[in-house]
Amino acid sequence: MRRPKRPRCCTASSARWRCTRWRHFTLRRPRRASPRFRHPTSWRASTLWSRSRSGMRMKKPTATSLKAMTHTPKDKTGRGELIQLVVDLGALANNTRFFADFVAPAQLMAVVKADGYNHGALRIAQTALDHGAAVVGVATVPEALLLRERGPVKDGEPATIFAWMWEPAMDLTPAFDAELTLGVPSLAHARSLIDQARSRQAKPRPVVGVMSDTGMSRSGISPAEWQETIALLAAAEQEGLIAVDGVFTHLASADEDAQRAVTDRQHQRFQQAIADCRAAGMAVPRNHIANTPATLTRPDMHHELVRPGLGVYGVDPVAGGTPTGAAENAVPGLPDVLPLQRTMSMRAKVITTRVVPKGESVSYGGIWTAPEDTRTAVVAAGYADGVPRSASGKMQVSINGESYQQVGRICMDQFVVALGPAESAAAEAVQPGDWAVIFGDPAAGEPSVEDLAAAAGTIPYEVVTMPRGPRVQRVVVDVEGQEHVVER
């Protein structure tokens, strides 16, 4: 079959068959779409398909191409702006400085696991490092490697990144190359790490932390394997294969004063673990046991390093609140009011209001019936976006500084709020386009993550990690107070 004659615009080009006018596509150039639709430039630049003489073949994706493919262009119609998750880096900087000052001379590890508690791991890590953190910690090796690729730094050098979750069969070469500090939670892990370090014989030596199970009975070297494991690690350090940074463990109930005896027992076992390691010939210079509750309420557990998680994000996880000021069991050195600031808020827009007549029910299952003619508002967020369905009928939102009760079942995309009697001023004041704060700063009269957690029958840790999906637009407020819309 003869090729069609090329238009003048194509023949005038020095590049053969490269005309970019959609109507001039030739038979030799596969047609991607109808002439009435043009893909965004970012899609065309990032496609994972490339040409070969035999046709089209898939090429290996790069970080740039994957980022372009997952990028959601801003929609001028407002898509992505009905729900916002706002992250305040200024608040995080304040919290980091508070913890760093309070625990000195101990150092601070900021825990940024689970994508920085859903705040964005890199921005949280770098902000924490810039304002007093000495180390950042994550749970798994893969998330530590991803964080290392993005490059958080401390004093101009690659930051220390600590990770404690990996499987014994994992190839640790990338972790060694990235100079991660790896937790050793079992005898099998110790054997695997030492064997791989011996076969690698490279500098610098891998740095490890000895994870002791002091009563959590989850991860950590068990009492039955303890002596054999530390003997193996001590021999490997003396051989020059590894460097042991310290001992660490996890507390089971430091947030509950009623469980103080359990926490004391864990601390005693932790101190014995440190003594065992030193008796075996390891210096273990940097040991850590204190999570946020222990950091706030147990200065005797600070040791050389503390490891707060939720507290860095402005939430006090101590049951009943950390005792301060004139409280009988107030911790020396703490201010009368904890200076923690909330780093995350979630809000969604009111999209419509209406009057529900007395006796009519609202949402699926009809679990709420209007006791009188009631004006309601529909808020554009649901359980697909991270609003827990289990909070149906039990949560409140703040609109224009006023609190309103959520009614009926929370749906996948929306929920309903009762504004008050149909003709009341409070009900009439709420209009479509107003923001409904789902959780935010209690100091500003907004529902807190603790409020939503109580309504949903869960804990604040889970609430901050719930907001998700492409409909939730992420807004970051930097330390200078400037807002930026980000992809993740």
Side-chain angles (χ1 to χ4, degrees), residues 88-433:
D88 188 343
L89 296 184
L92 185 109
N94 168 82
N95 301 338
T96 306
R97 287 192 297 268
F98 161 70
F99 278 109
D101 292 343
F102 177 61
V103 304
Q107 293 181 319
L108 171 67
M109 177 194 295
V111 180
V112 297
K113 64 181 181 178
D115 194 30
Y117 284 55
N118 202 28
H119 290 63
L122 176 60
R123 66 180 66 97
I124 294 300
Q126 192 58 65
T127 303
L129 290 165
D130 289 343
H131 293 86
V135 183
V136 291
V138 296
T140 70
V141 167
E143 60 183 332
L145 290 171
L146 181 60
L147 188 59
R148 174 65 83 211
E149 288 177 9
R150 295 173 177 176
V153 296
K154 178 69 175 178
D155 298 328
E157 298 292 333
T160 300
I161 302 177
F162 183 75
W164 54 86
M165 287 181 64
W166 51 283
E167 57 175 331
M170 178 181 289
D171 178 7
L172 294 177
T173 301
F176 292 161
D177 291 342
E179 299 185 24
L180 304 180
T181 300
L182 298 176
V184 178
S186 76
L187 176 59
H189 286 80
R191 287 171 173 163
S192 173
L193 186 146
I194 292 169
D195 288 345
Q196 293 188 58
R198 180 175 287 111
S199 64
R200 182 172 180 265
Q201 290 290 349
K203 301 295 181 182
R205 296 182 294 170
V207 180
V208 303
V210 186
M211 185 178 187
S212 173
D213 178 14
T214 57
M216 188 81 157
S217 300
R218 184 183 65 177
S219 289
I221 302 167
S222 67
E225 297 179 340
W226 176 249
Q227 292 298 334
E228 182 179 358
T229 304
I230 63 171
L232 189 65
L233 292 170
E237 186 174 45
Q238 292 169 8
E239 191 180 339
L241 297 177
I242 63 172
V244 179
D245 185 54
V247 183
F248 72 104
T249 193
H250 284 79
L251 294 170
S253 16
D255 56 332
E256 300 179 38
D257 191 59
Q259 297 291 320
R260 191 179 184 88
V262 174
T263 304
D264 287 341
R265 183 168 62 247
Q266 282 198 261
H267 190 213
Q268 291 167 2
R269 292 173 177 175
F270 179 67
Q271 291 173 305
Q272 184 60 53
I274 295 172
D276 290 344
C277 287
R278 288 176 176 162
M282 294 179 283
V284 289
R286 189 158 60 175
N287 307 288
H288 43 105
I289 182 175
N291 54 8
T292 297
T295 299
L296 291 172
T297 64
R298 298 294 301 266
D300 58 317
M301 293 188 179
H302 287 177
H303 291 271
E304 295 80 22
L305 184 70
V306 298
R307 201 178 61 235
L310 195 62
V312 173
Y313 304 93
V315 181
D316 178 5
V318 176
T322 297
T324 60
E328 181 179 349
N329 55 342
V331 178
L334 280 179
D336 290 346
V337 178
L338 280 183
L340 299 180
Q341 299 175 9
R342 301 305 170 108
T343 59
M344 177 185 283
S345 61
M346 184 181 186
R347 60 191 184 186
K349 283 190 175 181
V350 173
I351 56 173
T352 187
T353 64
R354 62 176 296 170
V355 174
V356 177
K358 178 181 178 180
E360 291 293 321
S361 298
V362 166
S363 194
Y364 293 116
I367 63 172
W368 181 83
T369 300
E372 58 183 329
D373 291 353
T374 305
R375 183 167 291 277
T376 61
V378 176
V379 179
Y383 56 76
D385 310 299
V387 182
R389 186 174 182 270
S390 56
S392 294
K394 294 174 283 186
M395 61 175 276
Q396 293 186 330
V397 299
S398 176
I399 306 175
N400 300 328
E402 298 292 333
S403 294
Y404 297 95
Q405 182 67 40
Q406 185 273 325
V407 295
R409 286 231 168 89
I410 294 170
C411 309
M412 183 181 291
D413 319 295
Q414 57 200 293
F415 61 83
V416 179
V417 173
L419 302 177
E423 304 302 326
S424 66
E428 295 287 349
V430 176
Q431 298 295 319

